[in-house]
């Protein structure tokens, strides 16, 4: 045999039912690369590995319409990414207080005007990427964006970052939100430190990013709608760890 160029130690998975990990659940498997092919040597306890693999099925994608039906009839919220749905976890007290503080400031500025302010039960659809999320706060000023369950043209989107969601919020969601032609501002707000990052669309259509500093007041404008935020307002009555 050709020597294994990428030797891997044998590993044994214990105390887990077969449904919670890979099909090689009763011993060890050591892959060896042989040219362009991959050979797997099965150790003791792998007599059922091939049968287990034959039972694996590719997850079924669903349409956006099917996703909406799922959300209307379910108790757990899911986000939609190109046919796949992902259940959302609950949020901390600090997370909720921060989102409420921001929504309260935005709502106060929206009274009597055409813009609507929504919290985490309103979906935002990114058509070009076939995604749908539940941002913590969103502001919609387009009167044509009138679907009662899904908004497609937000002017402002806010995500409050928690330890479990920060990576997804900073990469996947941020890039999706910034692709929306209607978006003017996107805010990423930490629930662990007093930190607010904001993205503002410039006149050339590109986004610039900055961090909200102590003593600074961020002004947000969408046509005739104007709102302001500063760190004391964002973190009012929030006990930071």
């Amino acid at each position: 045999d050709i020597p294994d160029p990428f030797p891997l130690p044998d590993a044994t998975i214990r105390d887990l039912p077969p449904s919670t990990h890979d099909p090689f659940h009763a011993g060890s498997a050591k892959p060896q690369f042989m040219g362009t092919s991959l050979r797997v040597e099965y150790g003791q306890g792998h007599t059922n590995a091939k049968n287990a693999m034959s039972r694996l099925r590719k997850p079924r994608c669903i349409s956006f319409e099917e996703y909406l039906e799922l959300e209307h009839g379910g108790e757990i919220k899911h986000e939609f990414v190109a046919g796949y749905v992902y259940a959302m976890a609950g949020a901390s007290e600090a997370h909720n207080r921060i989102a409420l503080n921001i929504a309260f400031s935005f709502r106060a500025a929206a009274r009597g005007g055409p813009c609507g302010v929504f919290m985490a039960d309103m979906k935002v659809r990114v058509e070009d990427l076939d995604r749908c999320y539940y941002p913590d706060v969103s502001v919609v000023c387009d009167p044509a964006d009138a679907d009662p369950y899904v908004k497609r043209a937000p002017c402002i989107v806010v995500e409050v970052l928690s330890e479990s969601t920060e990576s997804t919020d900073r990469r996947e969601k941020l890039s999706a939100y910034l692709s929306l032609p209607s978006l003017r501002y996107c805010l990423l707000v930490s629930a662990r430190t007093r930190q607010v990052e904001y993205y503002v669309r410039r006149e050339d259509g590109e986004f610039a990013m900055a961090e909200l500093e102590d003593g600074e007041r961020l002004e947000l404008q969408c046509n005739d709608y104007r709102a302001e935020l500063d760190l004391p307002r964002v973190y009012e009555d929030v006990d930071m760890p």
Side-chain angles (χ1 to χ4, degrees):
D1 289 346
I2 299 175
D4 182 0
F6 302 101
L8 298 174
D10 287 346
T12 301
I13 301 175
R14 300 185 180 92
D15 302 324
L16 291 176
S19 61
T20 62
H21 55 79
D22 69 49
F24 307 127
H25 59 267
S28 63
K30 181 180 178 181
Q32 293 185 338
F33 292 94
M34 302 178 62
T36 58
S37 65
L38 174 66
R39 182 181 71 194
V40 178
E41 293 181 347
Y42 298 106
Q44 184 178 6
H46 286 91
T47 56
N48 295 323
K50 292 183 178 180
N51 291 334
M53 290 194 70
S54 68
R55 294 195 300 267
L56 294 177
R57 295 291 183 269
K58 182 179 179 181
R60 186 179 76 88
C61 291
I62 66 173
S63 67
F64 184 64
E65 290 70 25
E66 289 174 313
Y67 161 73
L68 292 180
E69 292 181 8
L70 172 69
E71 293 301 278
H72 291 337
E75 297 180 358
I76 299 175
K77 293 191 299 185
H78 301 78
E79 294 184 320
F80 177 89
V81 180
Y84 296 95
V85 295
Y86 301 91
M88 298 180 63
S92 68
E93 178 179 337
H95 186 124
N96 279 278
R97 286 182 180 270
I98 292 167
L100 185 59
N101 287 342
I102 296 171
F104 182 82
S105 293
F106 287 172
R107 176 70 187 108
R111 286 194 178 98
C115 297
V117 179
F118 306 98
M119 295 192 67
D121 283 331
M122 179 59 71
K123 305 174 194 66
V124 167
R125 172 73 162 146
V126 185
E127 297 277 4
D128 290 346
L129 300 178
D130 195 20
R131 300 178 186 177
C132 191
Y133 300 114
Y134 286 92
D136 289 294
V137 184
S138 58
V139 178
V140 177
C141 296
D142 184 350
D145 196 5
D147 190 298
Y149 297 103
V150 183
K151 300 303 178 184
R152 292 170 169 81
C155 173
I156 303 171
V157 165
V158 179
E159 286 286 359
V160 180
L161 308 178
S162 60
E163 188 172 0
S164 61
T165 65
E166 182 168 356
S167 177
T168 300
D169 291 343
R170 285 188 176 279
R171 292 181 298 180
E172 176 191 314
K173 290 186 183 181
L174 176 61
S175 64
Y177 292 143
L178 297 186
S179 74
L180 290 167
S182 63
L183 196 75
R184 297 288 302 277
Y185 306 91
C186 184
L187 279 62
L188 301 181
V189 184
S190 175
R192 294 181 290 168
T193 61
R194 287 168 56 94
Q195 182 179 26
V196 176
E197 297 175 14
Y198 59 92
Y199 295 76
V200 182
R201 190 185 294 274
R202 303 182 310 209
E203 292 185 359
D204 62 3
E206 299 297 322
F207 279 90
M209 187 275 283
E211 186 174 321
L212 189 61
E213 300 179 351
D214 283 318
E216 179 185 0
R217 182 173 295 175
L218 174 62
E219 297 183 357
L220 304 97
Q221 180 177 351
C222 300
N223 298 325
D224 294 333
Y225 173 81
R226 289 175 173 80
E228 294 182 349
L229 275 182
D230 55 26
L231 290 178
R233 262 187 261 194
V234 171
Y235 292 101
E236 183 179 4
D237 297 328
V238 177
D239 294 328
M240 305 304 297

